[in-house]
Amino acid sequence: MRYLTFALTKGRLAEKTLEMFEKVGISCEEMKDKDSRKLIFVNEDLKLKFFLAKGPDVPTYVEYGAADIGITGKDTILEEGRKLYEVMDLGFGKCKMCVCGPESAREVLNNNQLIRVATKYPNIAKDYFYNRKHQTVEIIKLNGSIELAPIVGLSEVIVDIVETGSTLRENGLKILEEVCPLSARMVVNQVSMKMENERIRKLICDLRKVLQEGK
Ligand code: PRP
């Protein structure tokens, strides 16, 4: 039997994924060692391999077949636009993509003015403003701490992830529009889905049962 390879998103998403996998009898003891700098882990009995990658790289590994399966956020899947199958919502990592800014930005946003939008997700922002709202905006790509942009005057609004809302609150910003709901998703390489159909379908089926039981 060949190895089935999983690309997991480094950090909390990987931890949650492994918790869920344990419930369907898939474990990887080696991976739990937080001090380890190891990047790839093997479960010899089940013929599985796991590696940790940065979120935006997960769809890349899956599209090229370096991983059969990937677990990452819907935000990353939308932003990267890779060719792959999104097969399952894992139900954790729930948050939403929003247009945020100070209350004062609501008016310029509604008046169809040429505003600046700072974001880590330029493709999602473009799709939202150009294709859904038919509004011309200037999109500025940032790499983190996006909430700074409207505070220091780089942009009128931001497109960013809101989970608890505390980052916004502590910085005097508000949700002005909701773009889409987000959560962790399982993605599968298009060839793997055919070649390893039985194993992948069983995994999806087992995980669905866990989700049902949790409800
Ligand atoms: C994310 C996001 C917000 C924050 C939202 O940032 O970009 O800043 O979390 O969470 P909250 O609604 O619970 O406050 P992250 O911590 O991933 O880091 P980043 O700023 O580097 O993107």
Side-chain angles (χ1 to χ4, degrees):
M1 197 165 35
R2 78 181 264 280
Y3 283 95
L4 209 55
T5 303
F6 290 79
L8 307 183
T9 299
K10 214 186 264 184
R12 221 155 44 109
L13 228 48
E15 282 170 33
K16 288 262 189 191
T17 304
L18 292 174
E19 262 173 48
M20 195 169 175
F21 279 11
E22 289 219 334
K23 292 184 186 157
V24 298
I26 296 174
S27 60
C28 196
E29 289 306 314
E30 294 190 282
M31 253 182 135
K32 290 183 188 159
D33 180 5
K34 288 220 171 65
D35 299 325
S36 170
R37 304 288 293 168
K38 220 172 150 174
L39 293 171
I40 186 145
F41 306 90
V42 185
N43 180 324
E44 288 294 351
D45 300 333
L46 299 173
K47 288 277 179 255
L48 302 174
K49 275 185 194 168
F50 300 89
F51 65 82
L52 298 170
K54 289 266 187 194
D57 296 337
V58 168
T60 313
Y61 284 109
V62 174
E63 182 185 287
Y64 285 93
D68 301 289
I69 296 175
I71 310 287
T72 192
K74 178 70 179 174
D75 49 314
T76 306
I77 298 167
L78 288 171
E79 183 61 26
E80 296 301 313
R82 293 279 176 184
K83 266 205 227 153
L84 30 80
Y85 295 132
E86 184 186 321
V87 297
M88 195 178 177
D89 185 340
L90 296 172
F92 54 80
K94 279 198 176 138
C95 49
K96 53 193 174 184
M97 189 64 72
C98 297
V99 180
C100 309
E103 186 56 47
S104 59
R106 200 182 291 274
E107 213 178 300
V108 285
L109 192 59
N110 291 337
N111 285 351
N112 231 332
Q113 296 181 33
L114 182 64
I115 52 166
R116 289 198 286 209
V117 179
T119 185
K120 202 154 100 175
Y121 302 92
N123 293 325
I124 295 177
K126 261 180 223 159
D127 181 63
Y128 179 72
F129 280 102
Y130 299 172
N131 301 334
R132 276 169 63 188
K133 293 198 65 187
H134 305 291
Q135 186 170 353
T136 308
V137 297
E138 184 180 345
I139 291 166
I140 303 171
K141 154 97 197 211
L142 290 179
N143 294 294
S145 305
I146 316 298
E147 290 82 359
L148 261 176
I151 299 172
V152 299
L154 176 66
S155 70
E156 281 78 11
V157 298
I158 59 175
V159 167
D160 201 16
I161 292 173
V162 180
E163 191 182 352
T164 60
S166 53
T167 310
L168 292 181
R169 261 192 311 279
E170 285 177 33
N171 293 290
L173 304 174
K174 288 200 163 139
I175 294 177
L176 302 174
E177 288 170 7
E178 292 190 8
V179 177
C180 62
L182 305 169
S183 58
R185 307 290 162 98
M186 183 186 285
V187 293
V188 179
N189 171 271
Q190 294 187 338
V191 175
S192 306
M193 195 66 208
K194 290 193 185 75
M195 304 302 282
E196 296 291 336
N197 192 269
E198 221 170 294
R199 286 170 92 190
I200 294 173
R201 273 195 10 216
K202 176 164 187 324
L203 173 65
I204 295 170
C205 196
D206 289 350
L207 290 170
R208 285 228 170 92
K209 278 185 206 144
V210 169
L211 284 178
Q212 284 300 324
E213 283 158 14
K215 269 186 185 159

